[in-house]
Short mmCIF file of all heavy atoms in Angstrom, two decimals:
data_model
loop_
_atom_site.label_atom_id
_atom_site.label_comp_id
_atom_site.label_asym_id
_atom_site.label_seq_id
_atom_site.Cartn_x
_atom_site.Cartn_y
_atom_site.Cartn_z
N GLY A 246 -23.27 -42.42 -21.20
CA GLY A 246 -22.08 -41.94 -20.49
C GLY A 246 -22.09 -40.43 -20.39
O GLY A 246 -21.68 -39.86 -19.39
N ALA A 247 -22.62 -39.80 -21.45
CA ALA A 247 -22.69 -38.33 -21.44
C ALA A 247 -23.58 -37.84 -20.30
O ALA A 247 -23.27 -36.86 -19.63
CB ALA A 247 -23.21 -37.82 -22.78
N ALA A 248 -24.71 -38.58 -20.08
CA ALA A 248 -25.63 -38.19 -19.02
C ALA A 248 -24.99 -38.40 -17.65
O ALA A 248 -25.15 -37.59 -16.74
CB ALA A 248 -26.93 -38.98 -19.13
N VAL A 249 -24.26 -39.52 -17.48
CA VAL A 249 -23.59 -39.78 -16.21
C VAL A 249 -22.58 -38.66 -15.93
O VAL A 249 -22.49 -38.14 -14.81
CB VAL A 249 -22.88 -41.15 -16.24
CG1 VAL A 249 -22.12 -41.39 -14.94
CG2 VAL A 249 -23.89 -42.27 -16.48
N PHE A 250 -21.85 -38.28 -16.98
CA PHE A 250 -20.85 -37.21 -16.85
C PHE A 250 -21.52 -35.92 -16.39
O PHE A 250 -21.06 -35.25 -15.46
CB PHE A 250 -20.18 -36.99 -18.22
CG PHE A 250 -19.04 -35.99 -18.18
CD1 PHE A 250 -17.74 -36.39 -17.88
CD2 PHE A 250 -19.27 -34.65 -18.46
CE1 PHE A 250 -16.70 -35.48 -17.86
CE2 PHE A 250 -18.23 -33.72 -18.44
CZ PHE A 250 -16.94 -34.15 -18.14
N LYS A 251 -22.68 -35.61 -17.00
CA LYS A 251 -23.38 -34.36 -16.71
C LYS A 251 -24.02 -34.41 -15.31
O LYS A 251 -23.87 -33.48 -14.52
CB LYS A 251 -24.46 -34.15 -17.78
CG LYS A 251 -25.08 -32.79 -17.77
CD LYS A 251 -25.83 -32.55 -19.07
CE LYS A 251 -26.85 -31.44 -18.88
NZ LYS A 251 -28.20 -31.93 -18.56
N CYS A 255 -19.23 -33.67 -13.38
CA CYS A 255 -17.80 -33.87 -13.66
C CYS A 255 -17.21 -32.61 -14.31
O CYS A 255 -16.04 -32.27 -14.09
CB CYS A 255 -17.60 -35.07 -14.59
SG CYS A 255 -18.36 -36.58 -13.99
N GLY A 256 -18.07 -31.95 -15.13
CA GLY A 256 -17.60 -30.80 -15.88
C GLY A 256 -17.26 -29.59 -15.01
O GLY A 256 -16.63 -28.65 -15.47
N ALA A 257 -17.69 -29.64 -13.73
CA ALA A 257 -17.36 -28.53 -12.83
C ALA A 257 -15.85 -28.47 -12.60
O ALA A 257 -15.30 -27.40 -12.36
CB ALA A 257 -18.09 -28.69 -11.51
N CYS A 258 -15.20 -29.62 -12.67
CA CYS A 258 -13.76 -29.67 -12.37
C CYS A 258 -12.91 -30.07 -13.58
O CYS A 258 -11.71 -29.86 -13.58
CB CYS A 258 -13.48 -30.67 -11.24
SG CYS A 258 -14.11 -30.12 -9.65
N HIS A 259 -13.52 -30.70 -14.59
CA HIS A 259 -12.73 -31.21 -15.71
C HIS A 259 -13.12 -30.57 -17.03
O HIS A 259 -14.27 -30.22 -17.26
CB HIS A 259 -12.94 -32.73 -15.85
CG HIS A 259 -12.42 -33.52 -14.69
ND1 HIS A 259 -11.08 -33.77 -14.48
CD2 HIS A 259 -13.07 -34.12 -13.66
CE1 HIS A 259 -10.93 -34.50 -13.38
NE2 HIS A 259 -12.13 -34.71 -12.85
N THR A 260 -12.13 -30.45 -17.90
CA THR A 260 -12.37 -30.02 -19.26
C THR A 260 -12.66 -31.26 -20.11
O THR A 260 -11.98 -32.28 -19.98
CB THR A 260 -11.13 -29.28 -19.80
OG1 THR A 260 -11.00 -28.05 -19.10
CG2 THR A 260 -11.25 -29.00 -21.30
N LEU A 261 -13.71 -31.17 -20.91
CA LEU A 261 -13.98 -32.23 -21.89
C LEU A 261 -14.75 -31.59 -23.04
O LEU A 261 -15.92 -31.23 -22.89
CB LEU A 261 -14.80 -33.37 -21.26
CG LEU A 261 -15.08 -34.55 -22.21
CD1 LEU A 261 -13.79 -35.28 -22.57
CD2 LEU A 261 -16.08 -35.53 -21.61
N ALA A 262 -14.07 -31.42 -24.15
CA ALA A 262 -14.67 -30.69 -25.27
C ALA A 262 -16.00 -31.31 -25.69
O ALA A 262 -16.97 -30.59 -25.93
CB ALA A 262 -13.69 -30.67 -26.45
N ALA A 263 -16.07 -32.65 -25.71
CA ALA A 263 -17.28 -33.31 -26.18
C ALA A 263 -18.50 -32.98 -25.31
O ALA A 263 -19.63 -33.02 -25.78
CB ALA A 263 -17.06 -34.82 -26.20
N ALA A 264 -18.26 -32.64 -24.04
CA ALA A 264 -19.37 -32.33 -23.13
C ALA A 264 -19.52 -30.82 -22.95
O ALA A 264 -20.35 -30.37 -22.16
CB ALA A 264 -19.13 -32.99 -21.78
N GLY A 265 -18.71 -30.05 -23.66
CA GLY A 265 -18.76 -28.60 -23.50
C GLY A 265 -18.28 -28.17 -22.11
O GLY A 265 -18.66 -27.13 -21.62
N ALA A 266 -17.47 -29.01 -21.47
CA ALA A 266 -17.03 -28.72 -20.11
C ALA A 266 -15.65 -28.08 -20.14
O ALA A 266 -14.80 -28.46 -20.95
CB ALA A 266 -16.97 -30.01 -19.29
N SER A 267 -15.44 -27.11 -19.25
CA SER A 267 -14.15 -26.41 -19.28
C SER A 267 -13.58 -26.21 -17.88
O SER A 267 -12.91 -25.24 -17.60
CB SER A 267 -14.32 -25.06 -19.98
OG SER A 267 -15.35 -24.33 -19.35
N GLY A 268 -13.89 -27.16 -16.95
CA GLY A 268 -13.36 -27.07 -15.59
C GLY A 268 -11.84 -27.14 -15.60
O GLY A 268 -11.24 -27.77 -16.46
N LYS A 269 -11.23 -26.46 -14.62
CA LYS A 269 -9.76 -26.40 -14.62
C LYS A 269 -9.17 -27.01 -13.35
O LYS A 269 -7.97 -26.96 -13.15
CB LYS A 269 -9.33 -24.92 -14.71
CG LYS A 269 -9.66 -24.26 -16.03
CD LYS A 269 -8.53 -24.46 -17.04
CE LYS A 269 -8.84 -23.78 -18.37
NZ LYS A 269 -9.81 -24.54 -19.17
N VAL A 270 -10.01 -27.56 -12.49
CA VAL A 270 -9.51 -28.05 -11.20
C VAL A 270 -8.76 -29.37 -11.36
O VAL A 270 -7.67 -29.56 -10.85
CB VAL A 270 -10.70 -28.24 -10.23
CG1 VAL A 270 -10.20 -28.82 -8.92
CG2 VAL A 270 -11.41 -26.93 -10.00
N GLY A 271 -9.38 -30.28 -12.08
CA GLY A 271 -8.79 -31.60 -12.27
C GLY A 271 -8.18 -31.73 -13.65
O GLY A 271 -8.27 -30.81 -14.46
N PRO A 272 -7.56 -32.88 -13.91
CA PRO A 272 -6.90 -33.10 -15.21
C PRO A 272 -7.85 -32.88 -16.39
O PRO A 272 -9.05 -33.11 -16.31
CB PRO A 272 -6.48 -34.56 -15.12
CG PRO A 272 -6.30 -34.81 -13.67
CD PRO A 272 -7.33 -33.98 -12.98
N ASP A 273 -7.26 -32.41 -17.49
CA ASP A 273 -7.97 -32.14 -18.74
C ASP A 273 -8.32 -33.49 -19.40
O ASP A 273 -7.43 -34.21 -19.84
CB ASP A 273 -7.03 -31.31 -19.62
CG ASP A 273 -7.67 -30.94 -20.95
OD1 ASP A 273 -8.69 -31.57 -21.31
OD2 ASP A 273 -7.13 -30.03 -21.60
N LEU A 274 -9.60 -33.82 -19.45
CA LEU A 274 -9.98 -35.15 -19.94
C LEU A 274 -9.84 -35.30 -21.46
O LEU A 274 -9.99 -36.40 -21.99
CB LEU A 274 -11.42 -35.48 -19.49
CG LEU A 274 -11.62 -35.47 -17.97
CD1 LEU A 274 -13.04 -35.87 -17.62
CD2 LEU A 274 -10.62 -36.38 -17.27
N ASP A 275 -9.56 -34.20 -22.14
CA ASP A 275 -9.26 -34.33 -23.56
C ASP A 275 -7.86 -34.90 -23.78
O ASP A 275 -7.48 -35.22 -24.90
CB ASP A 275 -9.38 -32.96 -24.26
CG ASP A 275 -10.85 -32.56 -24.41
OD1 ASP A 275 -11.67 -33.46 -24.64
OD2 ASP A 275 -11.15 -31.37 -24.27
N LYS A 276 -7.09 -35.01 -22.71
CA LYS A 276 -5.72 -35.53 -22.83
C LYS A 276 -5.58 -36.90 -22.19
O LYS A 276 -4.47 -37.32 -21.82
CB LYS A 276 -4.74 -34.55 -22.16
CG LYS A 276 -4.73 -33.19 -22.84
CD LYS A 276 -3.74 -32.26 -22.17
CE LYS A 276 -3.77 -30.90 -22.86
NZ LYS A 276 -3.41 -29.83 -21.93
N LEU A 277 -6.71 -37.62 -22.07
CA LEU A 277 -6.67 -38.91 -21.36
C LEU A 277 -5.69 -39.90 -21.98
O LEU A 277 -5.01 -40.65 -21.26
CB LEU A 277 -8.08 -39.52 -21.33
CG LEU A 277 -8.96 -39.00 -20.19
CD1 LEU A 277 -10.38 -39.52 -20.34
CD2 LEU A 277 -8.37 -39.43 -18.85
N ALA A 278 -5.60 -39.92 -23.30
CA ALA A 278 -4.71 -40.88 -23.95
C ALA A 278 -3.26 -40.66 -23.51
O ALA A 278 -2.54 -41.60 -23.17
CB ALA A 278 -4.85 -40.78 -25.46
N TYR A 280 -2.28 -39.12 -20.77
CA TYR A 280 -2.14 -39.42 -19.35
C TYR A 280 -1.97 -40.93 -19.14
O TYR A 280 -1.15 -41.37 -18.33
CB TYR A 280 -3.38 -38.95 -18.57
CG TYR A 280 -3.61 -37.46 -18.53
CD1 TYR A 280 -4.88 -36.95 -18.32
CD2 TYR A 280 -2.55 -36.57 -18.68
CE1 TYR A 280 -5.11 -35.59 -18.26
CE2 TYR A 280 -2.77 -35.20 -18.63
CZ TYR A 280 -4.05 -34.71 -18.43
OH TYR A 280 -4.28 -33.36 -18.37
N ILE A 292 -8.82 -45.23 -16.91
CA ILE A 292 -9.96 -44.34 -16.65
C ILE A 292 -10.78 -44.88 -15.48
O ILE A 292 -11.15 -44.14 -14.56
CB ILE A 292 -10.84 -44.21 -17.92
CG1 ILE A 292 -10.06 -43.51 -19.03
CG2 ILE A 292 -12.12 -43.45 -17.61
CD1 ILE A 292 -10.76 -43.50 -20.37
N SER A 327 -20.55 -47.21 -18.73
CA SER A 327 -20.82 -46.30 -19.84
C SER A 327 -20.00 -45.01 -19.72
O SER A 327 -19.57 -44.45 -20.73
CB SER A 327 -22.31 -45.98 -19.94
OG SER A 327 -22.74 -45.42 -18.74
N LEU A 328 -19.72 -44.59 -18.48
CA LEU A 328 -18.89 -43.40 -18.30
C LEU A 328 -17.46 -43.67 -18.79
O LEU A 328 -16.85 -42.85 -19.48
CB LEU A 328 -18.88 -42.98 -16.83
CG LEU A 328 -18.07 -41.73 -16.48
CD1 LEU A 328 -18.57 -40.52 -17.27
CD2 LEU A 328 -18.12 -41.42 -14.99
N VAL A 329 -16.95 -44.86 -18.44
CA VAL A 329 -15.59 -45.21 -18.88
C VAL A 329 -15.52 -45.24 -20.41
O VAL A 329 -14.61 -44.66 -21.02
CB VAL A 329 -15.18 -46.58 -18.29
CG1 VAL A 329 -13.88 -47.07 -18.93
CG2 VAL A 329 -15.01 -46.48 -16.78
N LYS A 330 -16.51 -45.89 -21.02
CA LYS A 330 -16.55 -45.97 -22.49
C LYS A 330 -16.62 -44.58 -23.11
O LYS A 330 -15.90 -44.26 -24.06
CB LYS A 330 -17.80 -46.76 -22.95
CG LYS A 330 -17.66 -48.25 -22.80
CD LYS A 330 -17.78 -48.94 -24.17
CE LYS A 330 -17.00 -50.24 -24.20
NZ LYS A 330 -17.39 -51.16 -23.11
N TYR A 331 -17.51 -43.77 -22.54
CA TYR A 331 -17.72 -42.42 -23.06
C TYR A 331 -16.42 -41.61 -23.01
O TYR A 331 -16.03 -40.96 -23.98
CB TYR A 331 -18.80 -41.74 -22.21
CG TYR A 331 -19.00 -40.27 -22.47
CD1 TYR A 331 -19.56 -39.82 -23.66
CD2 TYR A 331 -18.66 -39.33 -21.50
CE1 TYR A 331 -19.76 -38.46 -23.89
CE2 TYR A 331 -18.86 -37.97 -21.72
CZ TYR A 331 -19.40 -37.54 -22.91
OH TYR A 331 -19.61 -36.21 -23.13
N LEU A 332 -15.71 -41.72 -21.87
CA LEU A 332 -14.47 -40.96 -21.73
C LEU A 332 -13.38 -41.52 -22.65
O LEU A 332 -12.58 -40.78 -23.20
CB LEU A 332 -13.99 -40.97 -20.27
CG LEU A 332 -14.87 -40.15 -19.31
CD1 LEU A 332 -14.42 -40.35 -17.87
CD2 LEU A 332 -14.82 -38.68 -19.69
N ALA A 333 -13.37 -42.84 -22.78
CA ALA A 333 -12.35 -43.46 -23.62
C ALA A 333 -12.50 -43.01 -25.07
O ALA A 333 -11.50 -42.82 -25.77
CB ALA A 333 -12.44 -44.98 -23.53
N VAL A 334 -13.75 -42.82 -25.49
CA VAL A 334 -13.98 -42.42 -26.88
C VAL A 334 -13.82 -40.90 -27.04
O VAL A 334 -13.02 -40.43 -27.84
CB VAL A 334 -15.40 -42.85 -27.34
CG1 VAL A 334 -15.69 -42.29 -28.73
CG2 VAL A 334 -15.49 -44.36 -27.33
N SER A 335 -14.59 -40.16 -26.21
CA SER A 335 -14.61 -38.71 -26.44
C SER A 335 -13.41 -38.00 -25.82
O SER A 335 -13.08 -36.88 -26.20
CB SER A 335 -15.91 -38.11 -25.91
OG SER A 335 -16.05 -38.44 -24.55
N GLY A 336 -12.76 -38.64 -24.85
CA GLY A 336 -11.67 -37.97 -24.15
C GLY A 336 -10.34 -38.11 -24.86
O GLY A 336 -9.31 -37.67 -24.34
N THR A 337 -10.32 -38.73 -26.02
CA THR A 337 -9.04 -38.91 -26.70
C THR A 337 -9.03 -38.21 -28.05
O THR A 337 -8.11 -38.38 -28.84
CB THR A 337 -8.75 -40.40 -26.91
OG1 THR A 337 -9.91 -41.01 -27.48
CG2 THR A 337 -8.44 -41.09 -25.60
N LYS A 338 -10.09 -37.40 -28.27
CA LYS A 338 -10.14 -36.68 -29.55
C LYS A 338 -9.32 -35.41 -29.51
O LYS A 338 -8.90 -34.90 -30.52
CB LYS A 338 -11.60 -36.33 -29.89
CG LYS A 338 -12.40 -37.55 -30.32
CD LYS A 338 -13.83 -37.14 -30.60
CE LYS A 338 -14.69 -38.36 -30.89
NZ LYS A 338 -16.09 -38.09 -30.59
N GLY A 339 -9.14 -34.87 -28.29
CA GLY A 339 -8.48 -33.57 -28.15
C GLY A 339 -6.99 -33.65 -28.43
O GLY A 339 -6.44 -34.71 -28.62
#
Side-chain angles (χ1 to χ4, degrees):
V249 177
F250 185 88
K251 192 164 159 265
C255 306
C258 291
H259 294 284
T260 291
L261 182 66
S267 54
K269 293 271 181 284
V270 177
D273 181 344
L274 301 183
D275 286 324
K276 297 181 181 151
L277 276 173
Y280 295 156
I292 295 172
S327 58
L328 181 58
V329 170
K330 282 241 152 55
Y331 172 70
L332 290 174
V334 174
S335 56
T337 49
K338 287 178 186 156

